[in-house]
Structures are given as C-alpha cells and as structure tokens.
C-alpha cells in the first residue's frame, strides 16, 4: 500500500484560512463541472467545518451539478441536532438549490449494520469523489475511523462502527479505501486543540487519518504552525 503523501497549508488567521478553502472549493467545483459535468464532494462531520460551511452559500457555482456525500454519520434519529447531515443542512445545504436526490445522506438512524449496508450499496453507483473534506480528531481519527476498531482495511465503501470512543458509540463511516478513491482530500485541522495531534502526525505517528491515501496525496489545512 502506497505511503501517505501530505502537504501542509498554514494560515494563522482563521478568516484567511476559510477564504482559501472557500476559493479552493469553488475552483475545484468549476473544474470538475467543466471537465466531467458534475462535482462530487464528501463533507466532513464534527464542528470544525461549520464556520466554513456557513460561507459556502455565497459561492459562484451551478449548484444543480453538485453531488453531496458524508464522510460518516452518527446513529441518531433523523433531524437529531448532532447528526452531521443536520449540521451541514443548517449551515449551508438548506440554503442552496442542490437537487435533493443528489444529497446522499447516510441512513445511520437504522443502526450501524443496516446504515452501512445502505450506504455501501448507494456508493457502489457513485463515481470517484472529486473532493473529500475530512476532520481530524485529537486522537488522530477521521470520519468515524478510530484506532483499534475493526474495518480499518475493509474493501467495502461504508462500514459499521459500534464502539467509537467519541460519542455516540454507534456510527457509520465511509471506509479508508473509499475515502482514498478521490482526486483530492483536504483535512481541516483548525483550532489549537489540534496542535498536538498534528505534531504527532508530522512526526510519523501511525494514525487512522494516515490511512487515507489518495494517489495525489492529501492536503492538511490548519491555523496551527506546521
Ligand atoms: C464526527 C466527525 C469526526 C470529526 C472529528 C473532529 O462525526 O464526529 O466525523 O471525524 O470530524 O472528530 O471533530 P471536530 O471538528 O468537532 O473537532
């Protein structure tokens, strides 16, 4: 398996960092739509992306060409405020005219096994991702890929997670293999609480985030010195 190639992008000013990300997403969408007629993007969960998502309704883009996926979902009832798809909808997706059938929410409300099965089936019909946005936990997890849990090297597109150390314990995650099937992967490691795990990652620690190995390498965006 190829090594993970990483590029570090440091912006000490969070506003400048979000501007760089916003412009990069707009550019990636423009290029994907021009070249392939659509833009397939995976959204990170957690709280970090919320500030960036709130700035995306202003993008100059053809929203009808966007296809949305989620890196993972928590096994919570539909509409639960701690679901990743609810956060993305409230901050952004609810304000733009992306056709509903082009937003591939993960049915994690059915539990890890059924949710992963449905997500896997849906993903087998989707092309390689144009852009994957991922968060980074302070233990080095990404999506719902946590150290020591089964499924690390699953060939399935989506896996069940039953003992996540970050609540809730039950989740559905896209697999490392599927998240690596992407033209670009950007990690959003923003906030001083990410500084320690970023240093460990830089110094070669074996982390779940290190399992994401797209051919083009990954880009890590942070306001921490790198
Ligand atoms: C989740 C996320 C998870 C998140 C990291 C970082 O469902 O919790 O998918 O992978 O991205 O834990 O979370 P924060 O952005 O809230 O620090």
């Amino acid at each position: 398996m190829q090594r993970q190639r990483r590029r570090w992008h440091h912006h000490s000013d969070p506003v400048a960092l979000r501007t760089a990300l916003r412009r990069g997403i707009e550019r990636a969408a423009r290029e994907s739509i021009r070249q392939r007629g659509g833009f397939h993007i995976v959204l990170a969960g957690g709280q970090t992306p919320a500030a960036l998502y709130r700035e995306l309704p202003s993008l100059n883009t053809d929203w009808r060409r966007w296809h949305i996926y989620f890196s993972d979902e928590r096994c919570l009832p539909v509409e639960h405020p701690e679901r990743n798809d609810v956060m993305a909808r409230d901050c952004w997706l609810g304000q733009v005219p992306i056709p509903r059938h082009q937003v591939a929410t993960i049915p994690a409300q059915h539990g890890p096994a059924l949710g992963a099965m449905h997500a896997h089936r849906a993903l087998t019909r989707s092309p390689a991702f144009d852009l994957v946005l991922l968060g980074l936990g302070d233990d080095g997890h990404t999506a719902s890929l946590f150290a020591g849990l089964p499924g690390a090297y699953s060939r399935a597109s989506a896996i069940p997670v039953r003992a996540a150390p970050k609540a809730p314990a039950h989740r559905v995650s896209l697999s490392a293999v599927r998240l690596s099937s992407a033209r670009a992967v950007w990690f959003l490691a923003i906030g001083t609480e990410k500084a320690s795990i970023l240093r460990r990652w830089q110094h070669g620690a074996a982390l779940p985030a290190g399992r994401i190995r797209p051919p083009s390498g990954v880009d890590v965006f942070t306001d921490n010195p790198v």
Side-chain angles (χ1 to χ4, degrees), residues 37-48:
F39 181 50
H40 295 256
I41 179 174
V42 178
L43 303 189
Q47 283 311 305
T48 298

Side-chain angles (χ1 to χ4, degrees), residues 67-128:
H67 298 259
I68 303 289
Y69 308 84
F70 294 86
S71 65
D72 60 328
E73 189 54 89
R74 302 154 180 204
C75 293
L76 297 169
V78 173
E79 293 301 325
H80 191 288
E82 292 178 11
R83 280 180 66 117
N84 290 327
D85 59 10
V86 171
M87 181 272 284
R89 184 198 62 198
D90 291 350
C91 291
W92 163 29
L93 300 179
Q95 303 165 50
V96 296
I98 298 174
R100 284 175 60 89
H101 69 277
Q102 291 172 203
V103 179
T105 54
I106 296 173
Q109 62 276 12
H110 300 309
L114 270 180
M117 184 189 73
H118 286 294
H120 170 76
R121 285 181 180 169
L123 285 163
T124 51
R125 298 190 292 271
S126 68

Side-chain angles (χ1 to χ4, degrees), residues 45-48 72 74 84 135-137 141-143 166 171 194:
Q47 283 311 305
T48 298
D72 60 328
R74 302 154 180 204
N84 290 327
L136 180 69
H141 78 264
T142 192
K166 175 180 182 183
R171 295 157 170 258
K194 309 295 181 184

Side-chain angles (χ1 to χ4, degrees), residues 71 123 143 145 151-159 173-181 212:
S71 65
L123 285 163
L145 303 171
Y153 301 100
S154 168
R155 307 296 299 172
S157 289
I159 60 171
S173 184
L174 268 57
S175 61
V177 166
R178 192 62 173 85
L179 289 168
S180 301
S181 171
I212 312 303

